[in-house]
Amino acid sequence: MPTIKTSNPLSLLKRRQVLAGAAAGAAALSMPGLIGKARAEGPLKVAAIYTVPVEQQWVSRIHLAANAAVARGDIEYVFSENTSNNDYERVMREYSEAGHDLIIGEVFAVEDAARQVARDYPETAYLMGSSFLPKDDTPNFAVFDNYIQDASYLSGIIAGAMTKTNKMGMVGGFPIPEVNRLMHAFMAGVRETAPDTTFQVAFIGSWFDPPKAKETAFAQIDAGADVLYAERFGVSDAAKEKGILAIGNVIDTQADYPDTVVASAIWHFEPTLDKAIEMVKAGSFKADNYGVYSFMKEGGCSLAPLGTFEGKVPDAAVKLAMEREAAIKAGDFVVEINDEEPKSS
């Protein structure tokens, strides 16, 4: 049996310090095959399957949104964390057999198996993090992604204003579209305020290995980087130890690194999950692309407040970031989505 945990929004948030705060199409894809009928009154039964701890950046945002839905009374929520890829299909089937209305998770390494499970349980709604688009052979399998390139671009504007060496280090997990597009957007923002900046780009081959990320960051600092893009945990620790600056990703860790983390691009999963809950309750859930709900204009991402760096970032950079943010929300400025693997300068 999977390690199933029931999420009580009060006790769980006390027990775990959950870290708070497309090119695929400009709107959700419409595909055939609505799921069942409108659900009865009362909270939906929702289960989540995570391959990493819920403290990990990306998953923590999904977990936070689910707890918010619990607090509103919209869902009942259980989850499994640290589920291996080899065990993912079994856990997914067990949750499906248990009669959950909606199952969420991330299937980047188990795509084919996960879609087969969805075909085997056509009355269950699945909302899964994926690099691929929905398909008409799995009409109950919707996908999402963290398209937070808008916020990443804005964080780059701030970072470019803070570098003195015009050398930046970037440490990521894997060179997949979900990471690549954020790195490219960040670099584009940096070039707005520091056009001559060069970048060192490295991937550690893991989603959760803080020691390895830290050692990789140390090497980039030794090569001259004075600002680090912390796509993984461990990078900000290296920056703190060496007395340089870091830019956060997905979550805001400035409270833990008040003299290190200047700005962060924050992912808000609430618009994505809330839309799925609405569709399941209405009996209208189908194989859509929910990635668009991560866009800034949909409320799916934001630039974290400067906090301890208020007044320390040059006014011109702050003004430019605010102007770009307004233009993005108005639809007058579009941040490029580039999913190609970024390279060092």
Side-chain angles (χ1 to χ4, degrees):
M1 292 289 292
T3 302
I4 298 176
K5 302 185 180 181
T6 302
S7 174
N8 178 297
L10 297 179
S11 63
L12 182 61
L13 289 177
K14 289 178 181 177
R15 190 168 73 248
R16 298 185 180 283
Q17 302 260 322
V18 177
L19 300 173
L29 298 178
S30 295
M31 301 196 70
L34 302 184
I35 301 304
K37 58 185 178 181
R39 297 301 199 259
E41 292 297 322
L44 293 179
K45 292 179 63 178
V46 175
I49 312 168
Y50 305 127
T51 60
V52 293
V54 292
E55 289 87 358
Q56 189 259 10
Q57 300 106 299
W58 200 82
V59 162
S60 75
R61 304 307 292 176
I62 303 172
H63 190 59
L64 187 70
N67 276 303
V70 171
R72 293 195 308 265
D74 286 345
I75 68 172
E76 297 172 357
Y77 170 51
V78 296
F79 66 95
S80 296
E81 59 184 336
N82 292 314
T83 303
S84 69
N85 291 331
N86 291 336
D87 211 25
Y88 203 96
E89 180 181 355
R90 179 187 64 81
V91 176
M92 193 173 171
R93 287 186 181 278
E94 289 187 2
Y95 278 137
S96 302
E97 284 287 343
H100 289 89
D101 301 301
L102 174 65
I103 297 176
I104 58 178
E106 7 95 35
V107 297
F108 298 104
V110 291
E111 190 81 31
D112 291 341
R115 288 178 185 266
Q116 183 57 55
V117 173
R119 287 190 287 270
D120 291 343
Y121 296 89
E123 293 302 312
T124 302
Y126 299 88
L127 177 65
M128 294 293 180
S130 170
S131 298
F132 298 94
L133 293 176
K135 298 178 181 179
D136 56 9
D137 66 347
T138 45
N140 56 331
F141 190 99
V143 299
F144 69 86
D145 214 337
N146 62 327
Y147 281 94
I148 63 168
Q149 66 282 342
D150 300 327
S152 297
Y153 166 80
L154 297 180
S155 72
I157 291 176
I158 301 300
M162 300 300 287
T163 181
K164 294 180 174 59
T165 66
N166 281 354
K167 294 181 180 181
M168 293 197 183
M170 306 182 71
V171 181
F174 293 93
I176 65 172
E178 291 69 24
V179 175
N180 298 345
R181 70 175 67 109
L182 307 188
M183 285 187 165
H184 280 295
F186 172 78
M187 290 189 283
V190 169
R191 294 185 182 108
E192 294 276 17
T193 46
D196 296 328
T197 297
T198 58
F199 301 90
Q200 302 173 60
V201 181
F203 298 94
I204 63 171
S206 172
W207 290 132
F208 196 74
D209 191 343
K212 188 172 183 179
K214 185 177 180 180
E215 289 303 315
T216 303
F218 278 146
Q220 295 181 342
I221 295 169
D222 289 343
D226 68 343
V227 178
L228 297 177
Y229 178 76
E231 200 271 328
R232 292 292 100 196
F233 277 157
V235 176
S236 293
D237 292 302
K240 180 181 178 180
E241 287 188 24
K242 294 295 186 178
I244 68 168
L245 302 177
I247 301 295
N249 178 59
V250 176
I251 60 176
D252 185 4
T253 57
Q254 192 182 76
D256 298 316
Y257 307 94
D259 300 318
T260 303
V261 175
V262 183
S264 298
I266 308 301
W267 183 32
H268 304 289
F269 190 68
E270 289 80 358
T272 302
L273 181 58
D274 292 352
K275 185 65 176 179
I277 291 171
E278 175 191 341
M279 292 295 99
V280 173
K281 285 188 172 182
S284 301
F285 188 88
K286 56 184 182 295
D288 278 351
N289 174 20
Y290 279 69
V292 296
Y293 295 108
S294 291
F295 282 37
M296 183 170 283
K297 65 181 180 180
E298 299 291 344
C301 65
S302 67
L303 180 67
L306 293 178
T308 55
F309 281 85
E310 193 75 45
K312 299 177 183 179
V313 179
D315 290 342
V318 175
K319 181 181 178 182
L320 177 60
M322 292 177 62
E323 290 174 349
R324 289 282 196 268
E325 179 179 24
I328 290 169
K329 289 180 177 179
D332 297 328
F333 185 88
V334 177
V335 177
E336 181 185 3
I337 298 173
N338 183 349
D339 287 348
E340 298 297 319
E341 181 177 345
K343 304 293 184 181
S344 297
S345 301

